[in-house]
mmCIF file of all heavy atoms in Angstrom:
data_model
loop_
_atom_site.group_PDB
_atom_site.id
_atom_site.type_symbol
_atom_site.label_atom_id
_atom_site.label_comp_id
_atom_site.label_asym_id
_atom_site.label_seq_id
_atom_site.Cartn_x
_atom_site.Cartn_y
_atom_site.Cartn_z
ATOM 1 N N ALA A 1 -16.343 -4.758 13.320
ATOM 2 C CA ALA A 1 -16.009 -5.509 12.055
ATOM 3 C C ALA A 1 -16.042 -4.639 10.838
ATOM 4 O O ALA A 1 -16.032 -5.165 9.717
ATOM 5 C CB ALA A 1 -16.884 -6.721 11.917
ATOM 6 N N TRP A 2 -16.031 -3.335 11.007
ATOM 7 C CA TRP A 2 -16.049 -2.416 9.824
ATOM 8 C C TRP A 2 -14.838 -2.618 8.972
ATOM 9 O O TRP A 2 -14.854 -2.593 7.762
ATOM 10 C CB TRP A 2 -16.156 -0.990 10.300
ATOM 11 C CG TRP A 2 -17.474 -0.650 10.925
ATOM 12 C CD1 TRP A 2 -18.633 -1.372 10.886
ATOM 13 C CD2 TRP A 2 -17.794 0.539 11.633
ATOM 14 N NE1 TRP A 2 -19.632 -0.725 11.581
ATOM 15 C CE2 TRP A 2 -19.137 0.445 12.087
ATOM 16 C CE3 TRP A 2 -17.067 1.652 12.000
ATOM 17 C CZ2 TRP A 2 -19.780 1.427 12.807
ATOM 18 C CZ3 TRP A 2 -17.684 2.671 12.817
ATOM 19 C CH2 TRP A 2 -19.027 2.552 13.149
ATOM 20 N N GLY A 3 -13.669 -2.691 9.654
ATOM 21 C CA GLY A 3 -12.391 -2.867 8.946
ATOM 22 C C GLY A 3 -12.358 -4.148 8.097
ATOM 23 O O GLY A 3 -11.898 -4.136 6.943
ATOM 24 N N TRP A 4 -12.850 -5.197 8.670
ATOM 25 C CA TRP A 4 -12.864 -6.489 7.975
ATOM 26 C C TRP A 4 -13.767 -6.404 6.728
ATOM 27 O O TRP A 4 -13.353 -6.846 5.632
ATOM 28 C CB TRP A 4 -13.370 -7.617 8.921
ATOM 29 C CG TRP A 4 -13.028 -8.971 8.344
ATOM 30 C CD1 TRP A 4 -11.876 -9.724 8.559
ATOM 31 C CD2 TRP A 4 -13.843 -9.748 7.438
ATOM 32 N NE1 TRP A 4 -11.926 -10.909 7.884
ATOM 33 C CE2 TRP A 4 -13.124 -10.958 7.201
ATOM 34 C CE3 TRP A 4 -15.085 -9.542 6.834
ATOM 35 C CZ2 TRP A 4 -13.626 -11.946 6.306
ATOM 36 C CZ3 TRP A 4 -15.605 -10.503 5.967
ATOM 37 C CH2 TRP A 4 -14.841 -11.696 5.763
ATOM 38 N N ALA A 5 -14.956 -5.830 6.874
ATOM 39 C CA ALA A 5 -15.839 -5.685 5.759
ATOM 40 C C ALA A 5 -15.233 -4.817 4.643
ATOM 41 O O ALA A 5 -15.290 -5.134 3.490
ATOM 42 C CB ALA A 5 -17.161 -5.095 6.216
ATOM 43 N N TYR A 6 -14.531 -3.683 5.037
ATOM 44 C CA TYR A 6 -13.862 -2.833 4.105
ATOM 45 C C TYR A 6 -12.794 -3.589 3.373
ATOM 46 O O TYR A 6 -12.637 -3.459 2.153
ATOM 47 C CB TYR A 6 -13.287 -1.641 4.833
ATOM 48 C CG TYR A 6 -12.343 -0.839 3.958
ATOM 49 C CD1 TYR A 6 -12.873 0.032 2.972
ATOM 50 C CD2 TYR A 6 -10.978 -0.935 4.089
ATOM 51 C CE1 TYR A 6 -11.986 0.715 2.123
ATOM 52 C CE2 TYR A 6 -10.097 -0.229 3.289
ATOM 53 C CZ TYR A 6 -10.629 0.596 2.319
ATOM 54 O OH TYR A 6 -9.767 1.318 1.470
ATOM 55 N N GLY A 7 -11.989 -4.350 4.111
ATOM 56 C CA GLY A 7 -10.921 -5.130 3.482
ATOM 57 C C GLY A 7 -11.440 -6.131 2.491
ATOM 58 O O GLY A 7 -10.897 -6.335 1.385
ATOM 59 N N PHE A 8 -12.546 -6.800 2.882
ATOM 60 C CA PHE A 8 -13.104 -7.789 1.940
ATOM 61 C C PHE A 8 -13.587 -7.122 0.660
ATOM 62 O O PHE A 8 -13.325 -7.615 -0.418
ATOM 63 C CB PHE A 8 -14.290 -8.540 2.617
ATOM 64 C CG PHE A 8 -14.765 -9.733 1.855
ATOM 65 C CD1 PHE A 8 -14.330 -10.983 2.189
ATOM 66 C CD2 PHE A 8 -15.688 -9.611 0.809
ATOM 67 C CE1 PHE A 8 -14.815 -12.118 1.506
ATOM 68 C CE2 PHE A 8 -16.110 -10.683 0.114
ATOM 69 C CZ PHE A 8 -15.687 -11.961 0.435
ATOM 70 N N LEU A 9 -14.343 -6.038 0.795
ATOM 71 C CA LEU A 9 -14.815 -5.339 -0.405
ATOM 72 C C LEU A 9 -13.692 -4.720 -1.232
ATOM 73 O O LEU A 9 -13.790 -4.669 -2.470
ATOM 74 C CB LEU A 9 -15.851 -4.262 0.028
ATOM 75 C CG LEU A 9 -17.131 -4.811 0.650
ATOM 76 C CD1 LEU A 9 -18.051 -3.715 1.070
ATOM 77 C CD2 LEU A 9 -17.860 -5.764 -0.340
ATOM 78 N N LEU A 10 -12.630 -4.367 -0.547
ATOM 79 C CA LEU A 10 -11.439 -3.847 -1.276
ATOM 80 C C LEU A 10 -10.859 -5.034 -2.157
ATOM 81 O O LEU A 10 -10.458 -4.848 -3.312
ATOM 82 C CB LEU A 10 -10.353 -3.380 -0.256
ATOM 83 C CG LEU A 10 -9.018 -2.891 -0.890
ATOM 84 C CD1 LEU A 10 -9.283 -1.670 -1.785
ATOM 85 C CD2 LEU A 10 -8.059 -2.537 0.224
ATOM 86 N N GLY A 11 -10.865 -6.243 -1.580
ATOM 87 C CA GLY A 11 -10.388 -7.389 -2.321
ATOM 88 C C GLY A 11 -11.316 -7.679 -3.545
ATOM 89 O O GLY A 11 -10.790 -7.999 -4.608
ATOM 90 N N THR A 12 -12.620 -7.566 -3.323
ATOM 91 C CA THR A 12 -13.517 -7.792 -4.487
ATOM 92 C C THR A 12 -13.334 -6.712 -5.596
ATOM 93 O O THR A 12 -13.580 -7.004 -6.825
ATOM 94 C CB THR A 12 -15.014 -7.784 -4.058
ATOM 95 O OG1 THR A 12 -15.386 -6.451 -3.655
ATOM 96 C CG2 THR A 12 -15.248 -8.748 -2.941
ATOM 97 N N SER A 13 -12.874 -5.491 -5.203
ATOM 98 C CA SER A 13 -12.707 -4.487 -6.235
ATOM 99 C C SER A 13 -11.588 -4.802 -7.213
ATOM 100 O O SER A 13 -11.557 -4.214 -8.281
ATOM 101 C CB SER A 13 -12.382 -3.151 -5.490
ATOM 102 O OG SER A 13 -11.043 -3.139 -4.990
ATOM 103 N N LEU A 14 -10.679 -5.720 -6.891
ATOM 104 C CA LEU A 14 -9.669 -6.154 -7.895
ATOM 105 C C LEU A 14 -10.227 -6.983 -8.968
ATOM 106 O O LEU A 14 -9.564 -7.141 -10.007
ATOM 107 C CB LEU A 14 -8.552 -6.922 -7.133
ATOM 108 C CG LEU A 14 -7.807 -6.066 -6.041
ATOM 109 C CD1 LEU A 14 -6.649 -6.897 -5.518
ATOM 110 C CD2 LEU A 14 -7.312 -4.772 -6.570
ATOM 111 N N ARG A 15 -11.396 -7.580 -8.758
ATOM 112 C CA ARG A 15 -12.105 -8.328 -9.810
ATOM 113 C C ARG A 15 -13.580 -7.921 -9.789
ATOM 114 O O ARG A 15 -14.482 -8.746 -9.739
ATOM 115 C CB ARG A 15 -11.929 -9.840 -9.564
ATOM 116 C CG ARG A 15 -10.535 -10.348 -9.791
ATOM 117 C CD ARG A 15 -10.104 -10.210 -11.252
ATOM 118 N NE ARG A 15 -8.792 -10.733 -11.507
ATOM 119 C CZ ARG A 15 -7.642 -10.011 -11.417
ATOM 120 N NH1 ARG A 15 -7.691 -8.737 -11.090
ATOM 121 N NH2 ARG A 15 -6.467 -10.561 -11.719
ATOM 122 N N ARG A 16 -13.764 -6.628 -9.920
ATOM 123 C CA ARG A 16 -15.121 -6.080 -9.782
ATOM 124 C C ARG A 16 -16.186 -6.704 -10.735
ATOM 125 O O ARG A 16 -17.297 -7.050 -10.260
ATOM 126 C CB ARG A 16 -15.075 -4.542 -10.038
ATOM 127 C CG ARG A 16 -16.276 -3.746 -9.609
ATOM 128 C CD ARG A 16 -16.133 -2.322 -9.949
ATOM 129 N NE ARG A 16 -14.883 -1.734 -9.389
ATOM 130 C CZ ARG A 16 -14.766 -1.236 -8.141
ATOM 131 N NH1 ARG A 16 -15.838 -1.323 -7.366
ATOM 132 N NH2 ARG A 16 -13.641 -0.809 -7.749
ATOM 133 N N GLU A 17 -15.831 -6.891 -11.966
ATOM 134 C CA GLU A 17 -16.702 -7.502 -12.926
ATOM 135 C C GLU A 17 -17.121 -8.890 -12.587
ATOM 136 O O GLU A 17 -18.314 -9.300 -12.645
ATOM 137 C CB GLU A 17 -16.141 -7.459 -14.342
ATOM 138 C CG GLU A 17 -17.056 -7.909 -15.377
ATOM 139 C CD GLU A 17 -16.510 -7.744 -16.820
ATOM 140 O OE1 GLU A 17 -15.577 -6.905 -16.958
ATOM 141 O OE2 GLU A 17 -16.913 -8.452 -17.729
ATOM 142 N N ASP A 18 -16.164 -9.683 -12.122
ATOM 143 C CA ASP A 18 -16.417 -11.051 -11.711
ATOM 144 C C ASP A 18 -17.295 -11.174 -10.468
ATOM 145 O O ASP A 18 -18.098 -12.114 -10.315
ATOM 146 C CB ASP A 18 -15.131 -11.842 -11.531
ATOM 147 C CG ASP A 18 -14.319 -11.960 -12.773
ATOM 148 O OD1 ASP A 18 -14.884 -12.014 -13.845
ATOM 149 O OD2 ASP A 18 -13.078 -11.923 -12.636
ATOM 150 N N TRP A 19 -17.126 -10.251 -9.559
ATOM 151 C CA TRP A 19 -17.919 -10.228 -8.338
ATOM 152 C C TRP A 19 -19.264 -9.562 -8.510
ATOM 153 O O TRP A 19 -20.161 -9.739 -7.649
ATOM 154 C CB TRP A 19 -17.162 -9.445 -7.284
ATOM 155 C CG TRP A 19 -16.187 -10.256 -6.492
ATOM 156 C CD1 TRP A 19 -14.793 -10.216 -6.625
ATOM 157 C CD2 TRP A 19 -16.419 -11.205 -5.492
ATOM 158 N NE1 TRP A 19 -14.201 -11.075 -5.764
ATOM 159 C CE2 TRP A 19 -15.148 -11.716 -5.025
ATOM 160 C CE3 TRP A 19 -17.593 -11.720 -4.866
ATOM 161 C CZ2 TRP A 19 -15.067 -12.636 -4.005
ATOM 162 C CZ3 TRP A 19 -17.478 -12.644 -3.878
ATOM 163 C CH2 TRP A 19 -16.241 -13.130 -3.441
ATOM 164 N N HIS A 20 -19.497 -8.822 -9.571
ATOM 165 C CA HIS A 20 -20.769 -7.995 -9.689
ATOM 166 C C HIS A 20 -21.998 -8.810 -9.506
ATOM 167 O O HIS A 20 -22.879 -8.310 -8.733
ATOM 168 C CB HIS A 20 -20.757 -7.320 -11.064
ATOM 169 C CG HIS A 20 -22.017 -6.522 -11.312
ATOM 170 N ND1 HIS A 20 -22.273 -5.329 -10.634
ATOM 171 C CD2 HIS A 20 -23.113 -6.795 -12.054
ATOM 172 C CE1 HIS A 20 -23.458 -4.910 -11.027
ATOM 173 N NE2 HIS A 20 -23.964 -5.777 -11.907
ATOM 174 N N PRO A 21 -22.203 -9.987 -10.126
ATOM 175 C CA PRO A 21 -23.492 -10.649 -9.906
ATOM 176 C C PRO A 21 -23.741 -11.011 -8.445
ATOM 177 O O PRO A 21 -24.894 -10.904 -7.960
ATOM 178 C CB PRO A 21 -23.276 -11.944 -10.737
ATOM 179 C CG PRO A 21 -22.310 -11.605 -11.799
ATOM 180 C CD PRO A 21 -21.341 -10.641 -11.089
ATOM 181 N N THR A 22 -22.701 -11.405 -7.703
ATOM 182 C CA THR A 22 -22.878 -11.839 -6.312
ATOM 183 C C THR A 22 -23.150 -10.565 -5.478
ATOM 184 O O THR A 22 -24.000 -10.614 -4.571
ATOM 185 C CB THR A 22 -21.643 -12.531 -5.810
ATOM 186 O OG1 THR A 22 -21.350 -13.639 -6.659
ATOM 187 C CG2 THR A 22 -21.855 -13.039 -4.399
ATOM 188 N N ILE A 23 -22.450 -9.487 -5.752
ATOM 189 C CA ILE A 23 -22.679 -8.276 -4.985
ATOM 190 C C ILE A 23 -24.055 -7.695 -5.256
ATOM 191 O O ILE A 23 -24.780 -7.308 -4.310
ATOM 192 C CB ILE A 23 -21.568 -7.208 -5.326
ATOM 193 C CG1 ILE A 23 -20.235 -7.647 -4.759
ATOM 194 C CG2 ILE A 23 -21.949 -5.813 -4.769
ATOM 195 C CD1 ILE A 23 -19.055 -6.761 -5.136
ATOM 196 N N TYR A 24 -24.465 -7.703 -6.497
ATOM 197 C CA TYR A 24 -25.804 -7.187 -6.852
ATOM 198 C C TYR A 24 -26.868 -8.015 -6.188
ATOM 199 O O TYR A 24 -27.828 -7.471 -5.570
ATOM 200 C CB TYR A 24 -25.977 -7.187 -8.385
ATOM 201 C CG TYR A 24 -27.333 -6.665 -8.800
ATOM 202 C CD1 TYR A 24 -27.604 -5.295 -8.762
ATOM 203 C CD2 TYR A 24 -28.332 -7.532 -9.219
ATOM 204 C CE1 TYR A 24 -28.852 -4.805 -9.129
ATOM 205 C CE2 TYR A 24 -29.588 -7.055 -9.560
ATOM 206 C CZ TYR A 24 -29.839 -5.711 -9.563
ATOM 207 O OH TYR A 24 -31.068 -5.231 -9.905
ATOM 208 N N ALA A 25 -26.705 -9.346 -6.252
ATOM 209 C CA ALA A 25 -27.738 -10.182 -5.634
ATOM 210 C C ALA A 25 -27.805 -9.964 -4.113
ATOM 211 O O ALA A 25 -28.892 -9.986 -3.520
ATOM 212 C CB ALA A 25 -27.421 -11.689 -5.912
ATOM 213 N N SER A 26 -26.654 -9.680 -3.516
ATOM 214 C CA SER A 26 -26.623 -9.472 -2.055
ATOM 215 C C SER A 26 -27.219 -8.101 -1.684
ATOM 216 O O SER A 26 -27.713 -7.928 -0.583
ATOM 217 C CB SER A 26 -25.223 -9.564 -1.557
ATOM 218 O OG SER A 26 -24.703 -10.897 -1.769
ATOM 219 N N GLN A 27 -27.111 -7.164 -2.580
ATOM 220 C CA GLN A 27 -27.727 -5.850 -2.338
ATOM 221 C C GLN A 27 -29.227 -5.887 -2.387
ATOM 222 O O GLN A 27 -29.913 -5.134 -1.734
ATOM 223 C CB GLN A 27 -27.226 -4.854 -3.416
ATOM 224 C CG GLN A 27 -25.753 -4.461 -3.256
ATOM 225 C CD GLN A 27 -25.280 -3.602 -4.411
ATOM 226 O OE1 GLN A 27 -25.751 -3.761 -5.563
ATOM 227 N NE2 GLN A 27 -24.343 -2.677 -4.179
ATOM 228 N N MET A 28 -29.718 -6.858 -3.179
ATOM 229 C CA MET A 28 -31.174 -6.976 -3.365
ATOM 230 C C MET A 28 -31.832 -7.932 -2.414
ATOM 231 O O MET A 28 -33.077 -8.044 -2.392
ATOM 232 C CB MET A 28 -31.435 -7.497 -4.831
ATOM 233 C CG MET A 28 -30.972 -6.525 -5.892
ATOM 234 S SD MET A 28 -31.865 -4.976 -5.879
ATOM 235 C CE MET A 28 -30.683 -3.866 -5.198
ATOM 236 N N SER A 29 -31.057 -8.649 -1.602
ATOM 237 C CA SER A 29 -31.624 -9.676 -0.757
ATOM 238 C C SER A 29 -31.063 -9.622 0.691
ATOM 239 O O SER A 29 -29.905 -9.252 0.823
ATOM 240 C CB SER A 29 -31.385 -11.095 -1.361
ATOM 241 O OG SER A 29 -31.714 -12.118 -0.443
ATOM 242 N N GLU A 30 -31.838 -10.004 1.598
ATOM 243 C CA GLU A 30 -31.333 -10.113 3.012
ATOM 244 C C GLU A 30 -30.575 -11.395 3.198
ATOM 245 O O GLU A 30 -29.859 -11.551 4.218
ATOM 246 C CB GLU A 30 -32.566 -10.132 3.975
ATOM 247 C CG GLU A 30 -33.226 -8.791 4.208
ATOM 248 C CD GLU A 30 -32.292 -7.812 4.950
ATOM 249 O OE1 GLU A 30 -31.589 -8.282 5.891
ATOM 250 O OE2 GLU A 30 -32.256 -6.638 4.590
ATOM 251 N N ASP A 31 -30.623 -12.331 2.252
ATOM 252 C CA ASP A 31 -29.982 -13.651 2.375
ATOM 253 C C ASP A 31 -28.830 -13.840 1.441
ATOM 254 O O ASP A 31 -28.393 -14.934 1.216
ATOM 255 C CB ASP A 31 -31.026 -14.768 2.181
ATOM 256 C CG ASP A 31 -32.164 -14.678 3.238
ATOM 257 O OD1 ASP A 31 -31.830 -14.394 4.402
ATOM 258 O OD2 ASP A 31 -33.298 -14.864 2.826
ATOM 259 N N GLY A 32 -28.384 -12.774 0.806
ATOM 260 C CA GLY A 32 -27.253 -12.876 -0.130
ATOM 261 C C GLY A 32 -25.946 -13.339 0.566
ATOM 262 O O GLY A 32 -25.769 -13.076 1.788
ATOM 263 N N LEU A 33 -25.078 -13.945 -0.138
ATOM 264 C CA LEU A 33 -23.825 -14.461 0.475
ATOM 265 C C LEU A 33 -22.948 -13.317 0.950
ATOM 266 O O LEU A 33 -22.129 -13.502 1.900
ATOM 267 C CB LEU A 33 -23.079 -15.307 -0.548
ATOM 268 C CG LEU A 33 -23.666 -16.700 -0.908
ATOM 269 C CD1 LEU A 33 -22.943 -17.322 -2.049
ATOM 270 C CD2 LEU A 33 -23.607 -17.561 0.333
ATOM 271 N N LEU A 34 -23.110 -12.134 0.417
ATOM 272 C CA LEU A 34 -22.334 -10.970 0.864
ATOM 273 C C LEU A 34 -23.147 -9.936 1.621
ATOM 274 O O LEU A 34 -22.615 -8.876 1.986
ATOM 275 C CB LEU A 34 -21.635 -10.272 -0.371
ATOM 276 C CG LEU A 34 -20.651 -11.134 -1.159
ATOM 277 C CD1 LEU A 34 -20.075 -10.327 -2.310
ATOM 278 C CD2 LEU A 34 -19.592 -11.722 -0.299
ATOM 279 N N THR A 35 -24.421 -10.228 1.850
ATOM 280 C CA THR A 35 -25.283 -9.229 2.468
ATOM 281 C C THR A 35 -24.792 -8.744 3.805
ATOM 282 O O THR A 35 -24.705 -7.503 4.052
ATOM 283 C CB THR A 35 -26.713 -9.827 2.626
ATOM 284 O OG1 THR A 35 -27.276 -10.167 1.356
ATOM 285 C CG2 THR A 35 -27.587 -8.803 3.305
ATOM 286 N N PRO A 36 -24.328 -9.582 4.752
ATOM 287 C CA PRO A 36 -23.896 -9.044 6.019
ATOM 288 C C PRO A 36 -22.596 -8.242 5.885
ATOM 289 O O PRO A 36 -22.427 -7.270 6.635
ATOM 290 C CB PRO A 36 -23.644 -10.309 6.882
ATOM 291 C CG PRO A 36 -23.507 -11.474 5.918
ATOM 292 C CD PRO A 36 -24.372 -11.052 4.760
ATOM 293 N N ILE A 37 -21.746 -8.540 4.951
ATOM 294 C CA ILE A 37 -20.561 -7.750 4.726
ATOM 295 C C ILE A 37 -20.914 -6.376 4.170
ATOM 296 O O ILE A 37 -20.352 -5.383 4.651
ATOM 297 C CB ILE A 37 -19.577 -8.493 3.750
ATOM 298 C CG1 ILE A 37 -19.132 -9.810 4.326
ATOM 299 C CG2 ILE A 37 -18.392 -7.653 3.418
ATOM 300 C CD1 ILE A 37 -18.331 -10.688 3.419
ATOM 301 N N LEU A 38 -21.818 -6.351 3.214
ATOM 302 C CA LEU A 38 -22.273 -5.062 2.710
ATOM 303 C C LEU A 38 -22.983 -4.221 3.786
ATOM 304 O O LEU A 38 -22.737 -3.026 3.864
ATOM 305 C CB LEU A 38 -23.259 -5.335 1.541
ATOM 306 C CG LEU A 38 -22.633 -5.848 0.268
ATOM 307 C CD1 LEU A 38 -23.757 -6.336 -0.679
ATOM 308 C CD2 LEU A 38 -21.755 -4.873 -0.424
#
């Protein structure tokens, strides 16, 4: 599933600022909505 995760994060990069709070929260937690993708 590496390719899928890469594709998803590539999609978030088109709106990096809007996604930043969710990505940051997921980096800091095991239960973040994006944690398994990261």
Side-chain angles (χ1 to χ4, degrees):
W2 293 347
W4 195 91
Y6 169 76
F8 191 97
L9 294 176
L10 179 63
T12 68
S13 72
L14 298 185
R15 290 295 181 270
R16 194 180 305 275
E17 185 175 337
D18 296 328
W19 275 105
H20 176 72
T22 306
I23 291 176
Y24 180 77
S26 298
Q27 289 173 329
M28 297 294 105
S29 170
E30 285 291 321
D31 301 317
L33 289 172
L34 299 183
T35 300
I37 298 174
L38 290 169

